Amino acid sequence: MIQAFGLTSHSHKDLPPAVDDVSFEARAGHVTALLGATGAGKTTALRLMLELQQGRGLTYFRGRPLHRLAHPSREVGVLLGEVPGHPARTVRGHLRMLSAAVGVPARRADEVLEVVGLVSLRDERLGTLSRGMDRRLGLACALLSDPHTLVLDDPADGLSTRESHWLHGMLRAHATQGGTVLFTTSEPKEAARAADHVITLEQGRLVADQVAAEFARTRLRPRVAVRTPHAVRLAALLAKEARTAQRSVEVVREGGNRLSVYGSTCADVGETAFRHGILVHQLADEMGDMGPGAGPFPGETAEAARDAREGGTEPESSELLGHRAVGLAGTAPRGGRAQDKPASQAGSHRPGDRVVPADRRARGDQAAHGSPDTGSGPAEGRGDTPPSPATVSRAPAPLPPLPPPISARSAPSPLRPLRYELRRATGIGTGFLTAAAVLVTSALTAVLLARVGHTPQARLLAAWPRELPLPPAALGAGLLGALAFGDEFRHPALAADRGSVPRRLGLLTAKLVVAAVTALALAFLAVGCDAEVLYLVYGRELAEVPADWLVLSASWFGLVVGCAWAGVLAAGVFRSTAAGLAAVVAVPVVVVPLVQKALEGASLRAAAGLPARLREVFLLQWPFGGERYLVGAVRVIAQPVGGALTLSLTALLCAYLLTTLRSRAR
């Protein structure tokens, strides 16, 4: 159950707030629609409920605000806009990555893929998905952790009629099993057909809070749908009779041979057509929307365009019949479907008599007929003639299945962020391509340095010319580290329920571990490739291992890992891949000269004899000569680049911790 109290957004300058003192409830076991035109404040209300936007008010999810929930993503499934995933990641890889983040088994990804009908597209890239498939994937992400509550922002936007019916069938199935569903829409007919309760917003204020049957009776306009090859002539006759009888009748020419008549009945329109010998192909009462300018029902725009092409004409402007003004040109909805009312009842009811059935669970037109795949869907109602009474009265199709519930929640594990980071890093080819480019560049640089000469053996194996601030391997490791957080902020897959990438120490530790392992592998492969290429081109002399290889190896690995960590921390602090890479380059370009200038300044004392004093402090003999490694580490840090890198890492880590504490305090 959702309880919203006094939702009010902050106003900008002298403008009124987008949402002003909105309070409502969405009960468990019901589908609730938040209805309003564009700019009415629907999305702002959802963002205030989910604590994604600052404002006033309070929202309870099953008795607790969202920030007091231990695992918000497990309690509330959210769909706001498009799926925030990397376009190069596969559908299955994206869901498996999110499964690791929320702590559910990886097989859960396959279960929700089967439910939403994306099994055949599980290896497709996110950037290639259509609008409908993206909405299906968004619903799969929302259902991944088996949440009790679903909060969806215009989930049927851009979907066809068939896909909209499938989507609403899924929402109905979730509510039938005891869940809470809240979705926004700008289409009154969609709200009346798919919801049990309709909450209407206008200019940020609550204007109606009604059950669906009452909403359909009081706020929707009935109309008569007519299809005739003599649409222009019939419209003119209806206009003439309306003026003669002094009645307020409005006719909308929707293109081709379609007419929508507001303020009349099937009997009156049929009698007019019969008296003047006009052939009528379709004549049915329909539940319209709030008026001719409210826009078509989701998925009907394409059908209207197709019918206009078949009729050879474009939609024309509505005509004034009676005493009222002309409506918007070509924007009136074509109306509901003929199966909304049996053919035997067409013309027998006066306007306003028909309401949406109160028992929403008995609605068969909201369930998915057949498999949830794109090609399946209701075949009836797509033609031009109303179905027979036998078709309308048939038993409703079963609701689409939901994924099986998660019986046991997995306890928090320190390996969960590590699994997530591994799947994130290996799910796209950016890291592998970057590593390959670094190895090729390093090998070519080593060959050119050997050809020119005057390069020490250690720098030759690392492909580090004196003119460059860092070798290719260190720059590549820094770039991979910056991508670890840069991709998070560019494609915030973890921010669907909170609005921003969470700053958790577990996630940071996992990124540092994966970045360190990647940097070590890259450093080892770079030296190995350089030595092998030098041996093949120039012989064994240039591929020999230096005598002090232990200290050099420690310095080399420390440099590459330090650059990777600097990229991770800087990108996490500044939320940008470019900022992370800039911080890596700034270490030798900016920090090292500053450190050298500070050390070369006039001083009374020097740190001479530091290794000897360290041996005196650590009197115990370490096993396997451990004191040598300690001395080597100190020598690495004592170098200009090592010291500057250590200072930079310390400053970035402190900045990250400070921003983490600040975000938690907010």
Side-chain angles (χ1 to χ4, degrees):
M1 181 177 182
I2 303 176
Q3 296 172 301
F5 304 101
L7 298 178
T8 304
S9 62
H10 290 328
S11 59
H12 298 282
K13 298 182 180 180
D14 296 332
L15 299 177
V19 175
D20 188 6
D21 195 19
V22 173
S23 301
F24 62 88
E25 288 186 358
R27 298 185 177 275
H30 295 77
V31 179
T32 304
L34 193 60
L35 174 66
T38 303
K42 306 184 299 297
T43 302
T44 304
L46 294 189
R47 294 182 62 84
L48 289 172
M49 294 169 56
L50 298 172
E51 301 176 4
L52 304 180
Q53 182 173 328
Q54 293 184 357
R56 298 190 303 272
L58 190 62
T59 304
Y60 287 120
F61 296 89
R62 293 209 290 180
R64 288 180 295 174
L66 190 66
H67 65 271
R68 298 303 298 267
L69 298 177
H71 302 285
S73 59
R74 293 183 177 181
E75 295 288 339
V76 184
V78 179
L79 174 59
L80 298 176
E82 298 181 354
V83 176
H86 196 289
R89 199 178 304 278
T90 63
V91 172
R92 186 170 182 264
H94 181 76
L95 289 176
R96 285 174 63 88
M97 181 185 69
L98 294 182
S99 299
V102 300
V104 299
R107 64 177 181 274
R108 182 71 175 177
D110 298 323
E111 293 175 358
V112 295
L113 280 177
E114 184 176 357
V115 168
V116 302
L118 291 180
V119 175
S120 60
L121 300 178
R122 61 184 178 182
D123 295 327
E124 293 292 328
R125 307 292 179 180
L126 298 186
T128 63
L129 296 180
S130 63
R131 176 66 173 176
M133 297 301 102
D134 183 84
R135 304 308 277 177
R136 288 177 182 251
L137 179 59
L139 184 60
C141 296
L143 294 173
L144 190 62
S145 59
D146 190 23
H148 176 271
T149 303
L150 293 179
V151 178
L152 314 174
D153 186 19
D154 208 356
D157 180 32
L159 301 185
S160 64
T161 304
R162 189 182 329 182
E163 292 172 331
S164 298
H165 283 200
W166 170 86
L167 174 64
H168 294 309
M170 288 292 302
L171 302 184
R172 173 62 50 197
H174 185 82
T176 302
Q177 296 188 5
T180 304
V181 178
L182 174 65
F183 73 94
T184 66
T185 180
S186 59
E187 301 294 340
K189 290 188 297 181
E190 179 185 5
R193 291 175 179 175
D196 302 310
H197 207 86
V198 181
I199 300 165
T200 306
L201 297 181
E202 287 185 6
Q203 297 181 355
R205 290 183 175 271
L206 181 66
V207 296
D209 190 342
Q210 305 166 294
V211 296
E214 182 69 14
F215 169 79
R217 186 181 66 83
T218 59
R219 299 186 65 83
L220 296 186
R221 293 182 59 190
R223 62 184 174 190
V224 179
V226 185
R227 180 189 288 270
T228 172
H230 308 287
V232 176
R233 181 186 173 195
L234 180 58
L237 292 173
L238 292 174
K240 180 179 179 181
E241 292 185 358
R243 288 192 296 268
T244 302
Q246 296 294 315
R247 292 189 295 111
S248 178
V249 177
E250 191 171 5
V251 178
V252 177
R253 175 78 185 282
E254 297 182 350
N257 54 3
R258 295 174 181 266
L259 293 177
S260 289
V261 183
Y262 294 87
S264 186
T265 64
C266 281
D268 294 338
V269 176
E271 290 175 1
T272 301
F274 178 77
R275 286 196 305 269
H276 296 84
I278 297 177
L279 177 64
V280 175
H281 291 162
Q282 180 188 13
L283 185 63
D285 281 328
E286 293 181 345
M287 186 59 66
D289 48 30
M290 293 183 180
F297 187 62
E300 292 183 351
T301 306
E303 295 182 10
R306 180 195 61 195
D307 295 332
R309 290 193 300 268
E310 291 176 357
T313 60
E314 294 296 330
E316 299 179 3
S317 60
S318 58
E319 303 174 9
L320 171 65
L321 303 182
H323 305 289
R324 295 195 296 163
V326 181
L328 297 179
T331 59
R334 188 173 56 83
R337 296 140 35 111
Q339 77 269 22
D340 286 345
K341 199 165 194 176
S344 60
Q345 300 178 4
S348 61
H349 288 184
R350 302 295 298 176
D353 290 344
R354 181 179 176 275
V355 297
V356 179
D359 185 6
R360 311 299 300 179
R361 300 185 182 183
R363 292 291 299 268
D365 61 343
Q366 295 176 6
H369 300 266
S371 65
D373 194 12
T374 311
S376 64
E380 66 275 13
R382 298 182 64 87
D384 299 331
T385 60
S388 64
T391 304
V392 177
S393 61
R394 65 186 178 89
L399 294 173
L402 287 175
I406 302 174
S407 57
R409 304 282 191 183
S410 59
S413 169
L415 296 180
R416 183 193 304 171
L418 188 59
R419 287 196 297 266
Y420 163 78
E421 180 61 21
L422 287 174
R423 290 174 182 171
R424 185 208 63 80
T426 59
I428 56 178
T430 304
F432 302 102
L433 293 177
T434 302
V438 166
L439 295 179
V440 172
T441 304
S442 181
L444 294 177
T445 304
V447 171
L448 293 177
L449 289 178
R451 180 179 181 85
V452 174
H454 309 292
T455 302
Q457 182 68 14
R459 282 184 170 266
L460 187 61
L461 291 177
W464 189 359
R466 297 182 182 275
E467 294 77 15
L468 294 180
L470 288 173
L475 289 174
L479 176 59
L480 292 178
L483 288 173
F485 258 125
D487 282 346
E488 294 281 10
F489 291 106
R490 187 176 181 183
H491 309 287
L494 294 180
D497 59 339
R498 301 298 296 171
S500 61
V501 177
R503 295 182 180 274
R504 294 194 295 262
L505 295 182
L507 182 63
L508 174 63
T509 303
K511 291 185 179 297
L512 291 178
V513 170
V514 173
V517 174
T518 304
L520 289 175
L522 188 62
F524 179 80
L525 291 176
V527 173
C529 291
D530 294 346
E532 187 66 23
V533 171
L534 291 174
Y535 171 75
L536 292 176
V537 177
Y538 299 107
R540 187 179 300 274
E541 180 182 358
L542 294 181
E544 293 181 353
V545 179
D548 54 345
W549 64 272
L550 182 60
V551 176
L552 292 175
S553 298
S555 302
W556 171 243
F557 289 128
L559 173 66
V560 178
V561 173
C563 290
W565 283 357
V568 172
L569 292 172
V573 171
F574 300 107
R575 300 172 176 256
S576 171
T577 302
L581 186 59
V584 174
V585 178
V587 171
V589 175
V590 178
V591 183
V592 170
L594 293 178
V595 173
Q596 289 179 343
K597 186 176 181 180
L599 294 178
E600 293 174 356
S603 61
L604 297 177
R605 295 178 178 85
L610 178 61
R613 288 192 293 272
L614 285 176
R615 294 191 183 93
E616 294 177 1
V617 173
F618 298 96
L619 297 177
L620 298 178
Q621 293 293 327
W622 290 22
F624 308 106
E627 67 277 0
R628 294 184 301 172
Y629 300 102
L630 180 61
V631 173
V634 173
R635 287 179 177 176
V636 171
I637 297 177
Q639 295 176 1
V641 176
L645 193 57
T646 304
L647 291 176
S648 300
L649 290 176
T650 304
L652 290 173
L653 182 59
C654 292
Y656 186 89
L657 294 178
L658 180 61
T659 53
T660 301
L661 295 176
R662 184 180 179 184
S663 61
R664 289 185 178 181
R666 286 182 176 177

